[in-house]
Amino acid sequence: MGKNDGPTSLATLHDFQKTMKPPDWLDPENDYLLGLSGGRDSVFLVHWLHQSGFKNITICHLNHQFRGDEAERDAAFCKELAQALDLPFFADSVDVTALAKEQKLSPETAARQARHNFFARCAAQTNCPRILLAHHAEDQAETILFRLIRGSAGIRGMAAQKEIIVNDTSLHLLRPILGLRRSQIDTFLSGKQIDYREDESNNEAFAVRNRIRHEALPLLSDIFSRDPTPPLLRAEEHDRELRELMRSQLDQLNPLDPQGRLHLPTLRELPRAIQRQILHDYLRDHDIHELSWDLISRSIKLLETESPPALALPGGLRLRRRQSRIFISP
């Protein structure tokens, strides 16, 4: 069990709470599902929103079966927290390791797929498509660096609001604390003596993301004598603004046919940068992850008639060219 019980004055906590308000795009009158792992960040999110007047929250907990008995205790903790706050609770368990082997996915991709499928089931049962997630500023900086080095097409972080389709169910992923620092979360939890579950594997520097968190970002801070998170977030914001400008132009182009397929003759007439953006958005909107520069470059080759008519995508799908159209199929 983790606890934040360091010294925090009541005055400091009070000043912190005055500046801590949910974003305007969250309506306390709406219903929400909230992904609760039991860890520090999601425990903060549910307490913070509940104390901010958000009472129509359903807690959703998925056991990934990564941590044996500890995972079972995580689930019990989440259920007890939901009961203490008088909030509805949904839980399920998925063997993500077996899923990854079966579908030949990375553990991270398999875990994300399992979570999305779980949220889709919860959304269907509750008729609520809004999913609250607890990613914060350090998670965003980590994601930007991870995607950039992996070959992302641009400086891309997580979106504060994003719509995805999972098994014909529309989900609205909402990340209201992307701008909050871990230190702010700690201040809140410490000041209110709120317990949470500690996943010890998060402190072990073996997975790529853990090494970015515990080795790369601290090393950058040491080299430059400054916190790397704010400039990474600013770079992502600048790149996102440029993409939004391009997207406003794309909206006037309408590259899709009535069946939602990309219209090849239209694509061929466009500049290469816009072709890349259209293909990136098309794949992203169909829940294709790991969108590297290399994948987008290989996708563009489908515009050439002499190239092979199909391209393998993550998750066992294919991007195909047929009858002047480009589309995704099994």
Side-chain angles (χ1 to χ4, degrees), residues 240-250:
R240 174 163 35 87
E241 289 173 349
L242 291 178
R243 291 197 303 273
E244 289 172 355
L245 176 61
M246 183 181 293
R247 196 163 290 118
S248 67
Q249 299 177 340
L250 296 182

Side-chain angles (χ1 to χ4, degrees), residues 317-329:
L317 299 175
R318 289 186 175 276
L319 187 65
R320 298 185 184 276
R321 181 187 68 236
R322 184 183 301 158
Q323 297 179 344
S324 297
R325 301 293 187 271
I326 291 179
F327 55 93
I328 293 173
S329 71

Side-chain angles (χ1 to χ4, degrees), residues 35-53:
L36 182 68
S37 68
R40 176 198 319 245
D41 305 328
S42 59
V43 166
F44 161 79
L45 181 60
V46 66
H47 278 283
W48 176 59
L49 288 177
H50 192 263
Q51 293 175 25
S52 299

Side-chain angles (χ1 to χ4, degrees), residues 96-125:
V96 172
T97 301
L99 178 67
K101 291 180 180 178
E102 176 186 334
Q103 299 193 13
K104 298 181 180 179
L105 303 172
S106 68
E108 182 182 51
T109 299
R112 179 173 56 241
Q113 184 182 104
R115 286 193 299 273
H116 286 175
N117 288 335
F118 171 58
F119 288 142
R121 294 193 297 273
C122 293
Q125 291 183 58

Side-chain angles (χ1 to χ4, degrees), residues 165-296:
I165 305 297
V166 180
N167 300 329
D168 297 324
T169 298
S170 177
L171 300 179
H172 301 274
L173 305 183
L174 306 172
R175 299 181 174 96
I177 62 172
L178 269 183
L180 292 187
R181 301 302 300 269
R182 169 60 69 82
S183 59
Q184 293 176 291
I185 293 172
D186 285 342
T187 296
F188 181 94
L189 296 174
S190 175
K192 294 183 176 293
Q193 296 292 292
I194 295 173
D195 290 339
Y196 55 88
R197 294 284 296 170
E198 190 72 72
D199 183 351
E200 295 299 333
S201 66
N202 288 334
N203 298 319
E204 299 174 5
F206 60 87
V208 173
R209 285 184 176 271
N210 281 6
R211 294 195 68 184
I212 292 174
R213 182 182 311 130
H214 296 295
E215 297 179 13
L217 288 172
L219 181 59
L220 288 173
S221 178
D222 182 59
I223 291 172
F224 292 100
S225 299
R226 62 183 299 185
D227 182 357
T229 295
L232 284 170
L233 299 187
R234 285 195 297 270
E236 190 275 340
E237 182 179 9
H238 176 68
D239 199 67
R240 174 163 35 87
E241 289 173 349
L242 291 178
R243 291 197 303 273
E244 289 172 355
L245 176 61
M246 183 181 293
R247 196 163 290 118
S248 67
Q249 299 177 340
L250 296 182
D251 289 341
Q252 303 174 22
L253 296 175
N254 190 25
L256 299 179
D257 69 8
Q259 288 74 41
R261 302 170 299 180
L262 290 170
H263 186 247
L264 191 52
T266 299
L267 277 180
R268 285 177 172 150
E269 296 297 321
L270 299 174
R272 181 54 58 93
I274 294 181
Q275 290 175 347
R276 286 186 181 277
Q277 189 66 52
I278 288 174
L279 283 163
H280 178 280
D281 290 353
Y282 182 77
L283 294 173
R284 179 206 61 200
D285 292 344
H286 286 78
D287 207 25
I288 303 298
H289 301 283
E290 303 175 17
L291 295 178
S292 66
W293 179 269
D294 177 66
L295 177 59
I296 302 303

Side-chain angles (χ1 to χ4, degrees), residues 5-17:
D5 52 6
T8 302
S9 70
L10 291 177
T12 300
L13 181 62
H14 179 66
D15 291 342
F16 163 76
Q17 289 176 324

